[in-house]
């Protein structure tokens, strides 16, 4: 409850104004509280000058004002610039290094090295044990078709993601993977409307990319044809196996550009695959239960026969 004197005065004057048709007593303008001088500090522009801040801005005591003062935009911007420099290696040497890292990771997938619990990933062991206990065999050799599928999909994802980072920035520096994944632009600007429009276009293109990758993970083979027959448990398990391998690939390449966000896409595919198998099992159990004839019904059928 607000106990500021001006708020209490405004509430009393509002009540008096509502009762004016009955009482005939109007509100005196000189009794109206005056607005505070200047603007709250959280409403100033990102590039406000020190003079304007000193003369026309007061420190807000609200929660948003405290959050505003605790956020150092200069430090965030510097971190984003450094991260962008580390991530984007657009020269030929960097591209060859990325392809080499991908081939090494895929070879590790085939030899089961990256699926080893000793990867020290915070949730890798939990995912592996959950899948192994109820859904698929995570220790079996991977399907070569799944490896070929990942060899084709992952470079397409990182290339498109890098293009999004370069073509949807408002500064000379490209966006980071985290900015595209979260759906924001951390760089400061004096034109927030321009940044808002750029964020909208970036989110639209990123959503389209994620949908294409999700459809690609559901393909039946490495020929690019979508899998058909969702009711087939073999296809559901194959899709889940591909999603599991995609997650393992993201863990193996987690220090490279695009791997972390690709891992979240793989996690979504894993959860969707687990749910699809659970639904199929429940429906199959219901169908089997409906086909079982009760002994009393069986006896009645025998009598009428």
């Amino acid at each position: 409850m607000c106990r500021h004197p001006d708020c209490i005065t405004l509430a009393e004057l509002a009540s008096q104004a509502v009762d004016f048709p009955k009482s005939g007593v109007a509100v005196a303008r000189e009794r109206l509280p005056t607005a505070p001088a200047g603007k709250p500090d959280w409403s100033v522009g990102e590039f406000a000058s020190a003079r304007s801040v000193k003369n026309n801005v007061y420190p807000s005591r609200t929660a948003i004002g405290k959050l505003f003062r605790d956020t150092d935009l200069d430090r965030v911007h510097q971190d984003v610039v450094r991260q962008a420099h580390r991530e984007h290696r657009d020269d030929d040497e960097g591209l060859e290094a990325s392809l080499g890292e991908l081939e090494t990771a895929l070879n590790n997938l085939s030899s089961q090295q990256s699926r080893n619990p000793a990867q020290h990933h915070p949730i890798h062991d939990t995912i592996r044990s959950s899948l192994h206990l109820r859904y698929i065999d995570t220790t079996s050799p991977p399907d070569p078709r799944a490896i070929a599928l990942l060899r084709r999909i992952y470079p397409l994802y990182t290339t498109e993601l890098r293009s999004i980072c370069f073509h949807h920035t408002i500064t000379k520096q490209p966006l980071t993977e985290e900015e595209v994944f979260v759906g924001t632009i951390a760089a400061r600007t004096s034109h927030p409307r321009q940044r808002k429009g750029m964020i909208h276009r970036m989110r639209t293109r990123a959503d389209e990319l994620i949908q294409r990758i999700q459809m690609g993970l559901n393909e039946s083979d490495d020929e690019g044809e979508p899998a058909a027959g969702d009711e087939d448990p073999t296809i559901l398990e194959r899709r889940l196996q591909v999603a599991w391998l995609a997650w393992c690939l993201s863990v193996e390449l987690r220090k490279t550009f695009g791997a972390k966000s690709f891992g979240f896409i793989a996690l979504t595919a894993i959860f969707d695959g687990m749910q699809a198998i659970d639904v199929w099992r429940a429906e199959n159990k219901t169908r089997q239960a409906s086909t079982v004839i009760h002994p009393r019904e069986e006896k009645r059928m025998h009598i009428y026969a």
Side-chain angles (χ1 to χ4, degrees):
M1 181 179 180
C2 183
R3 298 184 179 275
H4 194 278
D6 290 345
C7 294
I8 296 176
T9 301
L10 283 174
E12 293 175 352
L13 295 179
S15 177
Q16 180 179 344
V18 171
D19 293 339
F20 171 74
K22 298 180 181 179
S23 63
V25 179
V27 175
R29 291 183 176 272
E30 57 271 12
R31 291 191 59 193
L32 293 175
T34 58
K39 298 180 180 180
D41 53 358
W42 54 264
S43 66
V44 299
E46 298 179 13
F47 294 95
S49 63
R51 183 177 179 180
S52 63
V53 170
K54 181 178 179 181
N55 296 334
N56 301 324
V57 176
Y58 65 91
S60 174
R61 295 182 295 177
T62 61
I64 190 173
K66 295 178 181 178
L67 290 174
F68 172 79
R69 289 187 293 274
D70 289 341
T71 303
D72 187 357
L73 289 179
D74 291 331
R75 180 183 58 81
V76 173
H77 180 66
Q78 293 173 2
D79 293 342
V80 168
V81 170
R82 287 195 295 267
Q83 180 70 12
H85 278 298
R86 288 194 301 266
E87 287 183 348
H88 298 286
R89 300 176 299 178
D90 54 348
D91 54 320
D92 294 339
E93 183 180 353
L95 180 59
E96 293 177 359
S98 300
L99 294 177
E101 292 169 348
L102 174 61
E103 288 300 323
T104 302
L106 292 175
N107 292 333
N108 291 339
L109 282 179
S110 301
S111 61
Q112 301 185 7
Q113 292 181 19
S114 63
R115 291 175 285 154
N116 194 316
Q119 287 294 322
H120 303 293
H121 192 279
I123 63 174
H124 181 78
D125 293 347
T126 303
I127 297 173
R128 180 188 58 82
S129 59
S130 299
L131 291 175
H132 188 73
L133 288 175
R134 294 190 55 194
Y135 299 97
I136 59 176
D137 184 9
T138 58
T139 61
S140 61
D143 189 348
R145 294 177 298 178
I147 298 295
L149 180 64
L150 294 178
R151 180 177 285 108
R152 179 171 54 86
I153 286 181
Y154 187 79
L156 292 177
Y157 173 74
T158 55
T159 302
E160 181 68 16
L161 181 63
R162 196 181 300 274
S163 175
I164 293 175
C165 293
F166 274 96
H167 290 90
H168 294 82
T169 180
I170 57 176
T171 64
K172 296 181 179 179
Q173 299 297 333
L175 302 178
T176 62
E177 178 186 1
E178 289 78 8
E179 287 178 290
V180 177
F181 178 75
V182 175
T184 188
I185 298 177
R188 298 189 301 171
T189 179
S190 57
H191 304 284
R193 182 174 298 180
Q194 177 188 4
R195 179 173 56 187
K196 184 177 180 180
M198 189 67 74
I199 289 176
H200 174 72
R201 292 190 291 272
M202 179 259 290
R203 289 178 178 177
T204 301
R205 189 171 171 185
D207 290 341
E208 294 175 353
L209 173 61
I210 292 174
Q211 292 177 5
R212 291 202 304 269
I213 297 301
Q214 289 175 338
M215 292 179 59
L217 293 177
N218 288 334
E219 291 178 1
S220 59
D221 50 32
D222 55 351
E223 298 297 331
E225 294 296 333
D230 290 350
E231 70 280 356
D232 189 348
T234 304
I235 295 180
L236 297 179
E237 292 177 357
R238 186 185 306 165
R239 289 180 177 179
L240 187 56
Q241 185 74 32
V242 172
W244 160 245
L245 293 176
W247 163 256
C248 293
L249 179 64
S250 70
V251 173
E252 183 73 13
L253 299 173
R254 60 186 177 274
K255 294 183 180 180
T256 62
F257 174 77
K260 294 185 289 291
S261 56
F262 187 80
F264 278 96
I265 298 177
L267 276 180
T268 302
I270 287 176
F271 296 147
D272 291 343
M274 295 167 65
Q275 183 180 13
I277 292 178
D278 288 338
V279 170
W280 181 87
R281 288 174 178 174
E283 293 178 351
N284 187 55
K285 186 177 180 180
T286 302
R287 287 193 297 266
Q288 291 178 353
S290 62
T291 57
V292 176
I293 302 177
H294 194 274
R296 182 176 299 175
E297 293 294 332
E298 184 178 3
K299 183 178 181 181
R300 183 180 304 173
M301 294 172 59
H302 179 71
I303 292 175
Y304 284 109

